[in-house]
Amino acid sequence: MSIWEYANPKRFIAVSDRVVPWLSWLAAVLLVVGLGWGFFFVPRAENFEYSVKIIYVHVPSAMMAINIWVMMLVASLVWLIRRHHVSALAARAAAGVGLVMTVMALFTGAVWGQPMWGTWWAWDPRLTSFLILFLFYLGYLALWAAVEDPDAAADLTSVLCLVGSVFAVLSRYAVNFWNQGLHQGATLSLDAEENIADVYWFPLLVCLAGFVVLFLALVFVRTTTEIRLRRVAALQRREAMA
Amino acid sequence: MTLSVTDLSCARGGMPVLEGVSFTLEPGRVLVLRGPNGIGKTTLLRTIAGLQPALSGEITGAEDRVAYGAHADGLKAALTVWENLAFWAGIYGTPLERIKPALFAFDLYPLQYRQAQALSAGQKRRLSLARLLLTGRPVWLLDEPTVSMDAASVGLFAEAVKAQCADGGSALIATHIDLGLETDTLDLTPYKATPVWEFADRAEEEEFFA
Amino acid sequence: MTLSVTDLSCARGGMPVLEGVSFTLEPGRVLVLRGPNGIGKTTLLRTIAGLQPALSGEITGAEDRVAYGAHADGLKAALTVWENLAFWAGIYGTPLERIKPALFAFDLYPLQYRQAQALSAGQKRRLSLARLLLTGRPVWLLDEPTVSMDAASVGLFAEAVKAQCADGGSALIATHIDLGLETDTLDLTPYKATPVWEFADRAEEEEFFA
Amino acid sequence: MIALLRRDLMLAVRAGGGFGLGLAFFLIVVVLVPFGVGPETELLRRIAPGILWVAALLSALLTLDRIFALDWEDGSLALLATSPLPMEGVALVKAAAHWLTTGLPLTLAGPVLGVLLSLDPAVVPVLLASLAIGTPALSVIGAFGAAVTVGLRRGGLLLSLLVLPLYVPTLIFGAEAVRLSAEGQGAGTALLLLGGVTLGTCALLPFAAAAVLRINLRSSA
Amino acid sequence: MIALLRRDLMLAVRAGGGFGLGLAFFLIVVVLVPFGVGPETELLRRIAPGILWVAALLSALLTLDRIFALDWEDGSLALLATSPLPMEGVALVKAAAHWLTTGLPLTLAGPVLGVLLSLDPAVVPVLLASLAIGTPALSVIGAFGAAVTVGLRRGGLLLSLLVLPLYVPTLIFGAEAVRLSAEGQGAGTALLLLGGVTLGTCALLPFAAAAVLRINLRSSA
Ligand code: HEM
Ligand SMILES: Nc1ncnc2c1ncn2[C@@H]1O[C@H](COP(=O)(O)OP(=O)(O)OP(=O)(O)O)[C@@H](O)[C@H]1O
Ligand SMILES: Nc1ncnc2c1ncn2[C@@H]1O[C@H](COP(=O)(O)OP(=O)(O)OP(=O)(O)O)[C@@H](O)[C@H]1O
Ligand SMILES: [Mg+2]
Ligand SMILES: [Mg+2]
């Protein structure tokens, strides 16, 4: 049986009801371990001061924020091509989480910036393009909220998501052209030498895993909620018609 | 070529409204849609006009052959009567000479230099009907065309429809009043959709949200 | 107290439209305004409703006693049927209990939680008429109230008007169709203004610009 | 009056209008400016107060046409005019609703966005004060402008032309207050003058707005 | 197509929309900024390019909702959809009309207003070039945004929320070009990139806009 079977709302709800508890626990464990490890059992760095520990929230949330948008893009495409309502609703569900992640990254980043760069905010390319991503999330959700007819809303937001993605990438380059900044480069790049020391590295990985699982759990919950909301609306409309 | 609708089902605002509608409209005929408010006349016309997709069933002979007249007049308040018509003539590639007859047909000639916003309700309506003559389309889909028009104007409209039929056109008209034309009538009441989606492919998935 | 209009003249868009209109409307009576499109029915109603000043003549018994129903429905698309009515009840200080009867009177009860934008043309119109019942005003001024309503709804409307008259109200209705009420009729055609301003008090000055 | 206020707030929330968007626009303008003028911090810090005020003013401006135009288009303004409410009351309530959905959120958001322009934290209280005192004037003046242009379809742009000049005093005093305190001088007088402007407008303009509305209704289709 | 373009221009001129207003708004924003940030010349000169571009962008923004909303409300968009014109054509023509009534005047006015911000004369050619190349992108992107929000009554504000982030690249390259040449460096690459953005958007977005319009029409009342 193909994965499209799960596009059937009933089956989707059934599945999510089964997996959500597991995901939640797994996420809890991973986060507790990762954050606990990172916060309490990592030796104090010489170059970074204590605030370095923020990285265990900052980096995962930042990465999630970016990757969630990608996931939304995929879901939107699925909706546009295969017209599975669940897919569209999943995109909406994810967007909510993505927005929160973005805010977390911005906030932790700002808090971190204070000790590191002596300022809450700097117009560094990384930060700036993140701010733009934040705006995209806002617009996307606002559009969902504004359109009455659910299917039209799904269509419009999907198209917006496509166009938005292109422009997000475009702005990334534009911003780089505009200002070369002081933000860390991609420390998690694959070639080993420029990786940060393993002591920081492992707990970070655990945290990342934790965030991913947490995201999955949240998306499942929120998607089922969205599905049920639409179901209720549909039933109410039937009332009205009958 | 006749407009034929077979086993058509259409929805509005995500709810199925009509199902199993079938009829054919030969050239030279007028078909009047009747039915209580909210039965789905507007929805049906919009579907045939291609503004919204049908849930199921098929429509043949509508492609590029219909001129749609909606509840709204679609006039530009700032343009004069003549300019409004000239615009639509341009869109449909109709020569401008055809405007004058259209003005006469709906007794708008004296008002032709009046801005649309300075027209009374019925005058506006007449203007929006005059537009149909410039589309050169054989099939008219009209949604309550005679709203707020007086008896005389309704007469003019009837004339226009007759003329249209005379040269092989046809008209599908949703209305609550009597137009004083001999027409076929289709009452939509029996086609009211029972709000379940047997007809949707992927039945369950669709039905779930409808 | 009766609404009485004596020797009224009114203009629209700077042009005199009607002159020398006089009539009285006793409590319990219905007066229907007739006349071809553009004769000035809307203009007359707007003048009596106090939306525009009369050129000359006088209107008594209208002050704070009239409820005006225009061509436009005046509904809030984003609000539900019930909320729309509740708002007007609030404005006119009418107790909310009165909403339910109003809904029944126009067969809107099943639609009461529907957003106004999800109503069909005729349903919208019915809602805008239901509003009248909440104004608690004795005199109704209605401009083509039954536009795009089906026969059944027109019947409901006639009932509502009867009821209004029964408890001492009255109605002045501009329409082109037959309401199935026994009413007095006033045809405005004879009052069409000759576009000169003898009647304006500051004759020359006004006349100069008209 | 209450009924009207309640309805307007309800609409603002429901029709996806109101709060969120006015705020978002504020945010966006503030974000755009650095893209224009470049990222140098000290430059941004210097222009921060001015930019914040101009941005607040613009986002108030963009929400103005909602004040009357919607009610006009669907005909409910005419119906209100024939209702027991006095037009002055309508104008005042509408302005109040606009302030609650726009001015208030802007005021609260101001300091946060100040961070983006690296506004120095010391002046935040003054910024708050100036916005809190100034924005009501923006709403009332705006309501008047909206009343003037309500007849014109999509008069939105003309509206801004009429209103912006009227905004100048508010802008000057408001921004000046913040600038002065940023330069370490007292902002007292500026704030006082700002308060004067607000009081004056709130006292007089609703009447003007009502008059204008009546005129527009008279000549309307 | 031509008929539509002619009509839109006629309406823009007649309905008091188009030219005058977009321009005037541009002027006013530029005038307001000095009130906000204070009169120091060298400060103004430094921020001039950015402010000019942001102002141009905002006044383009304010005229966007006219692109489709009017035709939507009076029902002529639905009639156009049932006419022989392809929706893509409609979208493109509408964007073109918007540019002719807004972008073009802004471009021409830019240098003049530059004087107000004591922009140094040497960079005027680059300013002209950047505006000329950049503003079409603003119109096309805007047309897309307008198409998305056309269904919503007074979606104007949501419109700006959706569109402004899309404007970022255009703004950056445009303003950057002027800034660079103000600092005496070459603006070539910036202008090239700007041109790239414009071409790309003009090529692709009309299709997106058309698709969105069809969606909105489908679910419209
Ligand atoms: C509001 C301010 C900030 C924002 C919006 C922000 C945003 C981001 C983003 C988007 C990433 C990329 C995640 C990825 O793609 O891998 C990131 C990673 C990172 N940030 Fe920040 N950041 C901010 C402030 C800071 C500060 C002040 C520091 C400390 C000096 C910092 C240190 C890092 C580090 C070390 C990484 C990991 C780099 C990597 O693994 O790719 N960030 N941040
Ligand atoms: N935008 C909408 N969203 C949801 N439902 C709608 C919408 N517009 C209409 N409806 C519903 O769809 C059904 C059909 O509406 P439609 O306008 O086709 O009826 P109609 O036959 O044209 O009625 P009328 O004679 O009053 O014009 C009605 O029950 C109406 O309530
Ligand atoms: N806004 C306006 N500006 C100028 N003239 C107008 C305006 N509105 C209407 N008129 C003219 O005033 C006259 C009276 O208009 P009015 O709307 O009162 O007619 P009516 O009797 O209501 O017609 P209908 O039955 O079509 O509604 C008409 O000749 C019309 O052309
Ligand atoms: Mg209908
Ligand atoms: Mg009338």
Side-chain angles (χ1 to χ4, degrees), chain A residues 84-94 144 223 226-227 230, chain B residues 209:
Chain A
H84 290 306
H85 297 81
V86 172
S87 166
L89 294 177
R92 182 182 193 174
W144 260 113
T223 310
E226 293 286 348
I227 292 176
R230 268 206 63 178
Chain B
F209 292 113

Side-chain angles (χ1 to χ4, degrees), chain A residues 7-11 13 82-86 89 149 227 230-231 234-235 237-238 241-242, chain B residues 12-18 38-39 192-193 195-197 202 204-210:
Chain A
N8 175 306
K10 289 182 185 148
R11 226 167 284 133
I13 291 183
R82 293 194 54 108
R83 314 298 296 175
H84 290 306
H85 297 81
V86 172
L89 294 177
D149 174 38
I227 292 176
R230 268 206 63 178
R231 173 63 168 175
L235 293 178
R237 278 210 304 274
R238 292 190 189 186
M241 290 294 275
Chain B
R12 189 71 179 271
M15 276 299 292
V17 171
L18 291 170
I39 189 67
K192 194 175 198 313
V196 192
W197 293 64
R202 297 185 313 163
E204 232 196 346
E205 183 177 343
E206 292 296 349
E207 186 271 348
F208 192 82
F209 292 113

